[in-house]
Amino acid sequence: DDIDRAYFAVFDGHGGVDAANYSATHLHVNVGLHQEIVKNPAEALKCSFQKTDEMFLFKAKRERLRSGTTGVSALIVGNKLHIAWLGDSQVMLVQQGNVVTLMEPHKPERE
């Protein structure tokens, strides 16, 4: 279609790099192939995080892997920014020198 899109992501492995590498390899594919990517990019991100997690858990069980990862991704669709994150990864947007709060980070003390 004629809509410009850009995808960015950062993964921070915990207990090894397997989950982070797996997520970096598969999440963007799951997002791009999701049926809602055009109509509902936020839903595509959410579902793709869940799908990638399920895929890695299956692989981890089969191969006895014991790592995890936090992750944050940004999907720009036209002039809209969609953010998805898992764990304590954070996103910071600076607009004309001012910090714009996009999210409340996951912290142990937060409900």
Side-chain angles (χ1 to χ4, degrees):
D1 56 28
D2 294 334
I3 298 176
D4 289 330
R5 291 180 183 83
Y7 168 88
F8 306 90
V10 175
F11 302 96
D12 179 17
H14 289 235
V17 298
D18 296 317
N21 287 342
Y22 189 89
S23 298
T25 303
H26 292 88
L27 181 62
H28 69 285
V29 174
N30 290 334
V31 171
L33 294 175
H34 195 277
Q35 64 186 13
E36 292 295 316
I37 187 65
V38 173
K39 293 180 184 176
N40 191 345
E43 182 68 15
L45 277 171
K46 178 181 174 182
C47 290
S48 297
F49 262 77
Q50 290 172 330
K51 180 177 182 175
T52 304
D53 184 49
E54 290 167 4
M55 291 166 56
F56 180 72
L57 288 173
F58 180 77
K59 175 183 173 70
K61 184 175 182 179
R62 187 180 66 236
E63 298 178 19
R64 296 185 177 172
L65 303 174
R66 299 193 43 87
S67 68
T69 190
T70 67
V72 62
S73 65
L75 177 63
I76 302 170
V77 180
N79 64 354
K80 296 190 184 215
L81 173 64
H82 302 273
I83 302 292
W85 76 96
L86 181 66
D88 60 0
S89 292
Q90 297 183 43
V91 173
M92 178 185 293
L93 176 65
V94 178
Q95 188 174 38
Q96 298 178 354
N98 298 314
V99 174
V100 178
T101 301
L102 298 176
M103 57 189 278
E104 291 296 325
H106 292 180
K107 297 289 182 187
E109 62 275 3
R110 182 177 156 213
E111 282 190 33

